[in-house]
């Protein structure tokens, strides 16, 4: 059976100001109050700035472009913002926008993944990414490379892949942001990927990313820097650096940012 396993389809969902009935409800209560927070001019300006500088370029720079990404947003996203989002995505054949009406967060995420799934695959690599973070330019290629041995071990069982080495950018809003290297001890959400049979109905948004090892067999890759995560005024949670942080010199970080992400260090400092 193992010899017949094919390369899985790679599919990602990026959340961009998704309005739900439960996500943020603990802070703002009603859907109307959540919408008021999500769609302010100031907040959307920040989200677009990070999406345009980090998230989207990291997808466009992938060395393997055989993947699909759905940018998940809301049907209530202001018209001008929706037009801007559509224009950013339009040049890229493998990236699309899906707007969902307010509903339960996980159900909306399931809808987004289903819009990218293609027939003919026995397995999929379903990943998650937020609009303010970035992936290394070989992310998709590495996923496919990892899939073969993992499928040989667990052809019928879902397996989670986490990328725990990367960089934090502490966005001050005043320039001169600090960039720190890190190796996390628990899975991050950035690039968290579920390798699963096509018939399996769940996706990486099902469980809290820090506890994912309690629910799935977990492969944690720390061999190369795999992510850039931003810390800023609009993070939903309080980001915690739970690992080995700040061990590399700035020149070494700058070289890895250029090599692994095709980005300039100054771009990160100026966010």
């Amino acid at each position: 059976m193992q010899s017949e396993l094919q390369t899985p389809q790679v599919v990602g969902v990026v959340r961009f100001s998704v309005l739900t009935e439960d996500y943020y409800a603990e802070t703002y209560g009603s859907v109307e109050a959540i919408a008021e927070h999500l769609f302010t001019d100031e907040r959307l300006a920040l989200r677009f700035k990070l999406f345009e500088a980090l998230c989207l370029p990291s997808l466009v720079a992938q060395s393997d472009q055989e993947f699909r990404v759905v940018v998940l947003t809301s049907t209530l996203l202001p018209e001008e913002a929706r037009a801007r989002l559509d224009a950013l995505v339009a040049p890229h054949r493998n990236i699309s926008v899906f707007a969902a009406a307010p509903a339960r967060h996980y159900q909306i995420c399931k809808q987004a993944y289903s819009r990218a799934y293609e027939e003919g695959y026995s397995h999929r690599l379903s990943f998650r990414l937020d609009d303010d973070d970035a992936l290394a330019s070989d992310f998709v290629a590495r996923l496919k490379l990892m899939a073969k041995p993992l499928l040989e071990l667990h052809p019928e069982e879902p397996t989670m892949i986490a990328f725990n080495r990367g960089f934090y950018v502490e966005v001050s809003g005043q320039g001169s942001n600090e960039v720190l290297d890190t190796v996390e001890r628990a899975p991050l959400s950035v690039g968290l990927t579920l390798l699963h049979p096509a018939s399996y109905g769940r996706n990486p948004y099902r469980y809290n990313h820090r506890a994912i090892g309690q629910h799935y067999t977990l492969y944690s890759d720390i061999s190369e820097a795999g992510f850039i995560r931003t810390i800023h005024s609009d993070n939903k949670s309080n980001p915690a650096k739970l690992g080995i942080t700040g061990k590399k010199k700035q020149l070494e970080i700058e070289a890895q940012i250029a090599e692994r992400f095709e980005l300039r260090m100054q771009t990160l400092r100026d966010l």
Side-chain angles (χ1 to χ4, degrees):
M1 179 177 181
Q2 281 84 348
S3 62
E4 299 175 356
L5 292 172
Q6 63 184 148
T7 301
Q9 182 193 12
V10 179
V11 175
V13 167
V14 175
R15 297 175 300 182
F16 188 95
S17 299
V18 183
L19 179 59
T20 78
E21 297 171 343
D22 53 336
Y23 199 68
Y24 276 112
E26 73 281 3
T27 303
Y28 295 99
S30 68
V31 170
E32 293 75 16
I34 298 170
E36 185 175 352
H37 163 72
L38 289 181
F39 302 142
T40 63
D41 290 343
E42 181 180 9
R43 181 185 179 278
L44 286 175
L46 174 62
R47 305 316 294 205
F48 272 113
K49 181 179 182 179
L50 297 173
F51 181 70
E52 292 174 11
L54 292 179
C55 181
L56 184 59
S58 80
L59 296 172
V60 173
Q62 290 299 309
S63 59
D64 184 337
Q65 284 290 312
E66 292 304 314
F67 67 96
R68 296 188 65 186
V69 164
V70 175
V71 180
L72 173 60
T73 190
S74 173
T75 53
L76 298 181
L77 184 71
E79 185 176 337
E80 183 178 346
R82 176 59 193 270
R84 181 176 176 181
L85 189 60
D86 286 339
L88 288 168
V89 166
H92 311 294
R93 62 173 180 81
N94 55 347
I95 307 176
S96 60
V97 177
F98 168 57
R104 302 289 291 180
H105 174 257
Y106 184 60
Q107 296 306 315
I108 289 175
C109 291
K110 288 178 69 173
Q111 293 175 39
Y113 279 105
S114 68
R115 291 182 67 88
Y117 289 157
E118 296 175 351
E119 297 296 327
Y121 288 91
S122 62
H123 292 76
R124 295 192 174 96
L125 287 154
S126 299
F127 71 89
R128 59 179 287 182
L129 177 65
D130 286 335
D131 58 5
D132 54 353
D133 299 324
L135 299 168
S137 57
D138 65 348
F139 170 78
V140 171
R142 287 178 70 81
L143 281 182
K144 293 180 181 181
L145 189 64
M146 293 176 196
K148 183 177 179 180
L150 291 175
L151 283 175
E152 288 175 350
L153 282 171
H154 308 286
E156 301 302 328
E157 296 296 324
T159 302
M160 197 68 76
I161 302 170
F163 296 86
N164 280 19
R165 182 184 294 274
F167 300 98
Y168 283 105
V169 182
E170 297 190 343
V171 180
S172 66
Q174 301 174 350
S176 301
N177 300 323
E178 186 174 15
V179 182
L180 298 170
D181 59 288
T182 185
V183 184
E184 289 290 306
R185 68 172 183 241
L188 284 183
S189 62
V190 191
L192 188 65
T193 301
L194 183 64
L195 171 60
H196 60 97
S199 59
Y200 185 70
R202 293 182 178 178
N203 63 62
Y205 287 99
R206 176 62 180 83
Y207 299 107
N208 180 281
H209 55 89
R210 294 289 189 182
I212 210 70
Q214 295 175 302
H215 302 282
Y216 294 102
T217 297
L218 173 65
Y219 179 82
S220 173
D221 182 7
I222 62 168
S223 59
E224 299 281 357
F227 69 87
I228 296 173
R229 186 185 187 199
T230 59
I231 299 175
H232 52 79
S233 60
D234 192 52
N235 289 124
K236 179 181 181 293
S237 59
N238 294 318
K241 305 183 190 74
L242 302 177
I244 303 169
T245 302
K247 298 298 183 180
K248 294 185 183 297
K249 295 181 179 179
Q250 286 298 297
L251 285 177
E252 187 178 359
I253 293 176
E254 185 171 350
Q256 289 200 12
I257 293 295
E259 178 186 354
R260 301 285 303 146
F261 300 90
E262 301 183 19
L263 290 170
R264 295 171 58 249
M265 189 70 157
Q266 197 60 46
T267 299
L268 303 185
R269 291 196 175 115
D270 291 343
L271 287 172

